[in-house]
Amino acid sequence: MNRQSYSFIHERDASPKLLLSEPSGYTAEILLFGAQVVSWKNERRQELLFVSSRAAWNVSKAIRGGVPICFPQFSNLGTLEQHGFARNRLWSVDKSPSPLPSPSTSTSTSTSTSTSTSTSTSGSTPSTIDLVLKSTEDDLKTWPHRFELRIRISLSAGKITWIPRVRNTDSRPFTFTFALRNYMPVSDISEVRVEGLETLDYFDHLLQGERCTEQADAITFDGEVDRAYLSTPSKIAVIDHERKVTYELRKEAMCDAVVWNPWDKKAKALPDLGDSDYKKMVCVDSAVIETPIALKPGEEWKSRQDLIYVSSSYFSGTLDPSKVLGYMGMK
């Protein structure tokens, strides 16, 4: 059984943070504002998430970086503020969380090619925090649907997990889109490969959302990329050859994946991103975009994302994805 094990961090003129830690030395920091993970460090205190050099910590909006939660709308694909309002609301700690529903009792519409339940990368019990956001009267003015959005964040050695749940507490059905936007740090974006999305269809937002098919054996970067890949597998690898590091993204009930890097021109146009920050980051998101989730009154949707950090000690010029995706027997 997971245990809630966290402490509060209070910093002047900044949103309250929660600190998760686990026995091997990994830590995570989560803002109550937006339930956004803004730091994930290994036992050597190396930061495993990207945060913009121009991040504004003392304003009431989501930080550029970490892992923001996009609900009930992804990007500008609707009438709400970009990426929805959940990332710009103050959440609460759920001190008496309800049990997670079993797959047979929760509503899930994933079309991923496979589904897996990951286990902890260490023998210890993960440290967890449960957070909750409920609709307010102000929210109902812009999105007239009552809901409860809960998220469990769990930390273990080499892995951080998100389990989001959305419950329809209204008397009418509603639909929504959702994403966990993962900002990953890289040594040099030109040395990065994203594997697992080859041959898939995607919407290219640089071509007004035109539907295309991936022709390359891996996604590499030599300019701006803004794509939503459709019906993606449950495992995606982000390989940083220079750092000899791989991030393995595992997901359930989020069948789409977004890959984004703004490159130089767009980076300069974003006020909360440093001009050269694009060289040191890439976003690979778990998402539900093409087919929105539909919930009837009383129904609940549950999903999961595991982000696993793999230091590639066996690096030898090329990285064998089968070794990465089968790391520590997680097949």
Side-chain angles (χ1 to χ4, degrees), residues 33-44:
F33 190 82
Q36 182 175 353
V37 177
V38 292
S39 176
W40 176 34
K41 292 180 179 178
N42 62 18
E43 75 282 4
R44 297 183 299 278

Side-chain angles (χ1 to χ4, degrees), residues 4-41:
Q4 294 220 47
S5 177
Y6 61 89
S7 57
F8 277 94
I9 302 173
H10 294 282
E11 297 177 344
R12 185 178 178 183
D13 299 327
S15 173
K17 290 181 187 177
L18 300 165
L19 175 67
L20 276 182
S21 58
E22 58 81 43
S24 73
Y26 277 75
T27 61
E29 295 180 11
I30 305 124
L31 295 179
L32 273 182
F33 190 82
Q36 182 175 353
V37 177
V38 292
S39 176
W40 176 34
K41 292 180 179 178

Side-chain angles (χ1 to χ4, degrees), residues 289-324:
I289 299 173
E290 183 183 27
T291 304
I293 301 297
L295 290 181
K296 297 176 183 178
E299 285 188 334
E300 180 174 278
W301 170 81
K302 178 173 74 78
S303 62
R304 178 180 178 127
Q305 172 182 281
D306 295 316
L307 196 56
I308 301 166
Y309 174 79
V310 183
S311 180
S312 308
S313 58
Y314 50 80
F315 181 86
S316 59
T318 60
L319 199 58
D320 182 352
S322 65
K323 292 182 179 179
V324 174

Side-chain angles (χ1 to χ4, degrees), residues 58-72:
N58 58 349
V59 297
S60 297
K61 67 175 185 178
I63 298 298
R64 173 79 66 181
V67 183
I69 298 169
C70 305
F71 170 87

